[in-house]
Amino acid sequence: MEGWQDFADTDAWAARLRQHLGARDRVVDADEGLRIDSACLRANNMIWAGSPDDYAPLVARTLDALRSHRGLDPSEAVTTSSVLLEAAAYRLSDANLFRETVGATAAWLQRPELAPLALAGWLVTYAPLGRRWPTPGLVLPAGDPVACLELAVSLAREHGGRSVAFSAALFLAHMAVATNDRAAAAGR
């Protein structure tokens, strides 16, 4: 479902995805359902450009799954949450979706069985918008977006996630440049 980059004709891939989306209702495994919803959200954001009639129920179902805590693997939940945060970023004006997603995810971030790379990936997705749309009152793994990115770099390096570490360091460098902190930018 996530292999759309391998298709020469992304319109054909999107049509294939839409055609098979009806089968999603028969999936009983909560993690598998979440993975399918996540792939559909990402496709909708990048290439599908579906109608709000397709998009709103998909977002609502995904948020409900994150809020319910029923039968989900924490790493699957946090990875899907990252896709919802990306959705808020693609629309650039969806502060409500961003805040609802962070609120629905906060408890998952504290779970001891959460995979470190899933957490690191979420922190990288959260931090750039977390500066723009802070979420006061929630306990996150680090105090502010910069600390989130620093934690993401550390976790990713420790657990072999070089691309995640690179993304986090790149965002840190961009943040330093944006605040005219040349020393910090050079260090990154």
Side-chain angles (χ1 to χ4, degrees), residues 20-88:
H20 293 289
L21 190 55
R24 161 64 179 87
D25 293 336
R26 293 188 294 277
V27 171
V28 294
D29 180 270
D31 289 328
E32 184 62 20
L34 207 56
R35 279 190 291 273
I36 291 168
D37 289 346
S38 175
C40 290
L41 276 169
R42 183 167 279 145
N44 196 309
N45 291 330
M46 294 178 152
I47 63 166
W48 186 337
S51 72
D53 294 340
D54 297 331
Y55 188 73
L58 184 59
V59 168
R61 180 171 64 212
T62 307
L63 276 171
D64 286 346
L66 291 177
R67 289 179 182 126
S68 75
H69 294 242
R70 285 188 308 242
L72 293 177
D73 175 74
S75 300
E76 292 290 346
V78 169
T79 300
T80 299
S81 172
S82 294
V83 175
L84 278 173
L85 294 178
E86 288 174 5

Side-chain angles (χ1 to χ4, degrees), residues 162-178:
R162 294 178 65 191
S163 65
V164 175
F166 176 81
S167 294
L170 184 62
F171 277 126
L172 282 167
H174 286 299
M175 287 179 178
V177 168

Side-chain angles (χ1 to χ4, degrees), residues 94-151:
D94 209 340
N96 289 334
L97 176 58
F98 177 81
R99 289 189 178 112
E100 285 183 55
T101 302
V102 173
T105 309
W108 291 107
L109 300 174
Q110 311 305 322
R111 301 281 291 268
E113 66 273 30
L114 176 62
L117 285 177
L119 174 59
W122 187 88
L123 293 169
V124 170
T125 307
Y126 162 81
L129 288 177
R131 282 185 89 167
R132 180 176 177 159
W133 298 319
T135 50
L138 292 176
V139 177
L140 297 177
D144 60 52
V146 171
C148 285
L149 289 171
E150 289 171 344
L151 177 59

